[in-house]
Amino acid sequence: MLVVVARRLIDGTGGRPLDWPAVVVDDAGRLAYVGPRLTLPPLPPATRRLDLGGLTLLPGIIDAHVHLVFDGGPDPVGALATQDDATLLRAMAERATRMLCSGVTTARDCGARGALAQQLQRAIASGAVCGPRLIVSGAPLTTPNGHCHYLGGVTGRGVAAVRAAALRQLAA
């Protein structure tokens, strides 16, 4: 169990900030208490305490559209073409760690090359990589030379080809 205390808490509901809050996280990682320190319920003696001093606590940020495969530079598609999957996966892990450090606790990756996003999702879930909870779609399904075709989700033409590609993505 962990109790986090800080100077202020903004809970995201639009209400007034709470001064001198306490947040208790149980051993399963769930919030067990959020409220004033003065009304904090009794805690087990082994409870860890994290005092953030004058900082403000905020809810985790959700980013609903990211592509961790892109580097954010002036030519992300060109940069992508020069990297092998292992190098790219390491770069994606670094980007995910930076996201978490900036307050993003959940992100939806809307397309990556091959199964790299799924690999990163599993690495984060296992604790091997530090990053936000990821919801991933894999390679975007597209027509030949369509939007994001360079990520590998190109389908054949026709309903049967698109259906087969969708089922492969679902299985992945």
Side-chain angles (χ1 to χ4, degrees), residues 76-96:
V77 176
L80 176 70
T82 67
Q83 296 181 325
D84 63 33
D85 283 358
T87 302
L88 194 51
L89 186 58
R90 283 191 301 276
M92 291 171 68
E94 291 170 10
R95 293 176 195 127

Side-chain angles (χ1 to χ4, degrees), residues 119-165:
Q119 290 174 35
L120 180 59
Q121 179 188 46
R122 287 190 297 271
I124 290 171
S126 74
V129 171
C130 187
R133 177 182 310 112
L134 287 182
I135 300 163
V136 302
S137 62
L141 299 183
T142 186
T143 59
N145 296 313
H147 181 66
C148 292
H149 68 278
Y150 42 81
L151 295 176
V154 177
T155 68
R157 299 211 183 265
V159 173
V162 172
R163 182 176 289 127

Side-chain angles (χ1 to χ4, degrees), residues 24-120:
V24 177
V25 182
D26 69 18
D27 292 332
R30 293 181 303 246
L31 295 177
Y33 173 84
V34 177
R37 275 189 230 178
L38 292 175
T39 58
L40 183 65
L43 300 171
T47 300
R48 294 178 300 139
R49 181 181 171 89
L50 177 60
D51 188 337
L52 299 178
L55 297 180
T56 298
L57 294 170
L58 301 169
I61 299 166
I62 298 172
D63 192 331
H65 191 139
V66 303
H67 293 275
L68 289 169
V69 74
F70 294 140
D71 68 2
D75 184 14
V77 176
L80 176 70
T82 67
Q83 296 181 325
D84 63 33
D85 283 358
T87 302
L88 194 51
L89 186 58
R90 283 191 301 276
M92 291 171 68
E94 291 170 10
R95 293 176 195 127
T97 299
R98 284 197 308 268
M99 287 179 71
L100 185 62
C101 290
S102 68
V104 176
T105 58
T106 301
R108 184 177 65 169
D109 190 295
C110 295
R113 186 164 75 198
L116 291 174
Q118 291 94 324
Q119 290 174 35
L120 180 59

